[in-house]
């Protein structure tokens, strides 16, 4: 979003988190005031219904749809504070979890930017844009795994809440295999791209396109070239399995070596770990009963 200045240039605006919530003179009223203002005058501010629709779309699966409650006054606060209704009660926004705050703030910024753009386009006599780009870093930050698995598809649907003619492009950075797994049903090989950012020991960062492959499970994503983990479990589990595999590849091993490896596997592998199937057969061949 940009604001016009006399020279005709359209500089970008920058907000800190505090300014997003509490406002910045001459640029935004902030989430707290805008939310309450929109809610108290929905006849005047259609942005409120858009905001509610976006909140419902990006809601956490385990809490149900995010619904707006009545604003309240809190001790020590001169402002009226918006609230959200949860199965366990109504919570003032200031007391919400970090995950809820982050997603609600993102929803507000997208709606606010779109509404401000419409106002500026109307005042300048220009046509509204038909494209919006949203850049999101650490998409999974503060989100429960259940939420990480649905947030990307939910964000892609926001364009329909803003305008039927709007096309939304997302640039999302993530360290979460769940976010990547959630992209499989919606990834379009024609228009979507997957990139890997890798920092070299010299400090140089490379930016490479990676062919997108549906991997099915989080474990498969963890062991993909993007995350480069040999095994999806703990480092100790990986080390125990590597040692066991090395024994299996040797021409000659002793019963004591197999017993030692078995003890290490017992310590770090779950009873249902699939590696046991392979190891039990090998150990029993060499006289070690698991």
């Amino acid at each position: 979003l940009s604001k016009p200045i006399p020279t005709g240039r359209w500089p970008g605006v920058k907000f800190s988190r505090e300014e997003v919530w509490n406002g910045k003179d001459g640029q935004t009223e902030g989430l707290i005031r805008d939310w309450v203002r929109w809610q108290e005058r929905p006849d005047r501010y259609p942005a409120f219904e858009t905001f509610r629709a976006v909140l419902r779309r990006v809601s956490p699966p385990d809490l149900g749809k995010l619904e707006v409650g009545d604003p309240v006054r809190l001790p020590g606060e001169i402002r009226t504070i918006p609230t959200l209704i949860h199965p366990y009660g109504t919570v003032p926004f200031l007391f919400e979890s970090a995950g809820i705050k982050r997603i609600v703030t993102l929803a507000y910024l997208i709606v606010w930017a779109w509404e401000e753009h419409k106002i500026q386009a109307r005042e300048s006599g220009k046509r509204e844009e038909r494209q919006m780009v949203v850049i999101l870093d650490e998409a999974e930050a503060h989100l429960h795994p259940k939420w990480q698995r649905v947030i990307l598809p939910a964000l892609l649907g926001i364009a329909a809440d803003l305008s039927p003619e709007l096309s939304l492009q997302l640039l999302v950075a993530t360290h979460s295999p769940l976010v990547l797994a959630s992209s499989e049903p919606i990834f379009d090989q024609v228009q979507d791209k997957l990139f890997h950012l890798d920092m070299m020991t010299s400090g140089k960062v490379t930016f490479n396109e990676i062919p997108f492959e549906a991997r099915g499970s989080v474990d498969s994503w963890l062991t993909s070239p993007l995350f480069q983990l040999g095994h999806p479990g703990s480092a100790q589990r990986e080390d125990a399995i590597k040692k066991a595999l090395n024994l299996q590849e040797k021409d000659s091993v002793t019963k004591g070596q197999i017993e030692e490896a078995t003890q290490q596997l017992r310590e770090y592998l779950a009873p249902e770990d699939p590696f046991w199937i392979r190891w039990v057969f090998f150990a029993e061949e060499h006289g070690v009963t698991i």
Side-chain angles (χ1 to χ4, degrees), residues 17-260:
R17 188 182 73 168
E18 292 302 315
E19 290 168 340
V20 170
W21 285 8
N22 302 317
K24 186 175 183 180
D25 288 346
Q27 294 185 343
T28 178
E29 291 290 329
L31 183 155
I32 303 297
R33 291 188 180 90
D34 271 342
W35 182 342
V36 174
R37 180 163 57 98
W38 294 347
Q39 183 174 354
E40 290 180 341
R41 291 293 306 275
D43 56 323
R44 183 177 178 183
Y45 299 107
F48 180 60
E49 284 305 317
T50 305
F51 182 56
R52 289 179 66 184
V54 172
L55 287 182
R56 294 189 188 107
R57 185 178 295 277
V58 298
S59 297
D62 54 336
L63 291 180
K65 299 299 183 184
L66 291 175
E67 295 292 347
V68 175
D70 293 329
V72 297
R73 283 289 297 269
L74 299 175
E77 274 284 349
I78 62 172
R79 302 170 299 175
T80 304
I81 304 301
T83 66
L84 289 171
I85 301 172
H86 300 292
Y88 48 80
T90 300
V91 179
F93 178 71
L94 298 182
F95 299 153
E96 288 286 4
S97 67
I100 294 287
K101 284 179 177 176
R102 187 169 195 264
I103 294 303
V104 171
T105 300
L106 176 63
Y108 163 74
L109 281 172
I110 292 173
V111 174
W112 175 83
W114 178 246
E115 292 298 321
E116 284 296 310
H117 165 69
K118 290 196 298 183
I119 292 172
Q120 292 182 19
R122 183 169 59 250
E123 291 179 348
S124 61
K126 296 182 178 179
R127 177 177 175 271
E128 292 178 10
E129 293 290 339
R130 293 294 180 264
Q131 294 180 322
M132 175 185 282
V133 178
V134 174
I135 303 175
L136 179 60
D137 189 24
E138 302 287 0
E140 71 279 5
H142 305 300
L143 303 187
H144 186 280
K146 291 180 180 178
W147 209 351
Q148 292 181 33
R149 197 169 63 169
V150 300
I151 191 62
L152 191 57
L155 290 174
L156 278 174
I158 286 179
D161 298 319
L162 301 179
S163 169
E165 299 179 353
L166 183 64
S167 175
L168 181 66
Q169 181 183 24
L170 291 178
L171 301 177
V172 179
T174 182
H175 290 103
S176 170
L178 274 170
V179 172
L180 285 165
S182 75
S183 69
E184 290 184 5
I186 59 175
F187 194 92
D188 186 327
Q189 296 284 357
V190 175
Q191 62 181 4
D192 297 329
K193 299 292 182 183
L194 177 64
F195 297 94
H196 184 225
L197 280 77
D198 192 20
M199 179 176 288
M200 315 300 287
T201 55
S202 63
K204 180 181 178 181
V205 177
T206 60
F207 186 76
N208 301 309
E209 182 177 351
I210 301 291
F212 185 89
E213 299 178 37
R215 298 182 177 272
S217 70
V218 174
D219 282 4
S220 295
W221 277 104
L222 283 171
T223 55
S224 73
L226 287 170
F227 293 94
Q228 301 174 347
L229 292 180
H231 296 273
S234 67
Q236 291 85 350
R237 173 185 179 272
E238 181 175 354
D239 185 56
I241 289 177
K242 283 182 177 179
K243 289 181 179 179
L245 289 173
N246 286 336
L247 288 179
Q248 289 182 319
E249 293 171 357
K250 289 184 176 181
D251 295 331
S252 177
V253 295
T254 67
K255 184 177 180 181
Q257 288 176 314
I258 296 176
E259 289 175 337
E260 181 182 350

